[in-house]
Amino acid sequence: MLATLTFIAATAILKVLALGLLSASGLLLLTLALVSSKTPDKPTSAIKMAKPWWDLPSRIVIAVTFVLLITSLAGRMGPVLSGLIAPFPVFAIVFAAFTLQTEGSAATCNLLRGIVLSSVGFAAFFMTIALTTSQLGLSSAYLLAAGLGILSNFIFHSLPGQFWTGKMN
């Protein structure tokens, strides 16, 4: 609930600020570094509990419901607010809820930390789309964006764990 309220507050602030692409990207990277440094990697048990038969269908129904809700509201909100709400982490909420139930809080913390770190690739993807679509065309821009998104995730996940906790030697 706190995360959702934080998302709503950040969306409201960003709507008022109307930052440019580079300013927003810089703010995003600083935020991701801060969140990553405050979310430690926690040891988890190697024993995995069997998931019930209804686990996957439930995840699908819940995720689709969230996506349909957000999509149905987009027309009423306009392009700016819709764009700010579009990155609402529907899949993260669904994954976190089910991971907490089946694998516990340490595994859920690690899942969310991984999602935060992977957001760098998400940002690289959309920044590339914004900067290159008019010059390269849609297909080439998306191909380049996918490659840079994957590359940036590889680079950030290859950095030592101490980088993200602020305790580099």
Side-chain angles (χ1 to χ4, degrees), residues 3-4 10 44 67 87-88 102 104 111 126:
T4 301
T44 59
V67 169
F88 187 76
T102 59
L111 168 78
F126 284 106

Side-chain angles (χ1 to χ4, degrees), residues 3-58:
T4 301
L5 292 174
T6 302
F7 180 86
I8 291 168
T11 300
I13 291 167
L14 289 172
K15 186 173 186 320
V16 171
L17 292 178
L19 299 174
L21 180 63
L22 294 178
S23 299
S25 298
L27 179 61
L28 174 65
L29 291 175
L30 286 173
T31 302
L32 292 175
L34 176 66
V35 171
S36 297
S37 71
K38 300 298 180 193
T39 311
D41 194 14
K42 296 188 174 193
T44 59
S45 168
I47 299 170
K48 303 287 183 209
M49 296 189 326
K51 295 186 177 30
W53 67 268
W54 49 264
D55 183 81
L56 184 58
S58 297

Side-chain angles (χ1 to χ4, degrees), residues 1-11 14 62-63 65-71 73 77 81-94 115 119 122 126:
M1 186 67 170
L2 178 60
T4 301
L5 292 174
T6 302
F7 180 86
I8 291 168
T11 300
L14 289 172
I62 292 168
T65 301
F66 271 114
V67 169
L68 290 175
L69 177 66
I70 292 169
T71 305
L73 295 174
M77 292 185 287
L81 189 54
S82 295
L84 288 169
I85 290 176
F88 187 76
V90 171
F91 78 96
I93 292 170
V94 174
I115 290 170
S119 294
F122 185 74
F126 284 106

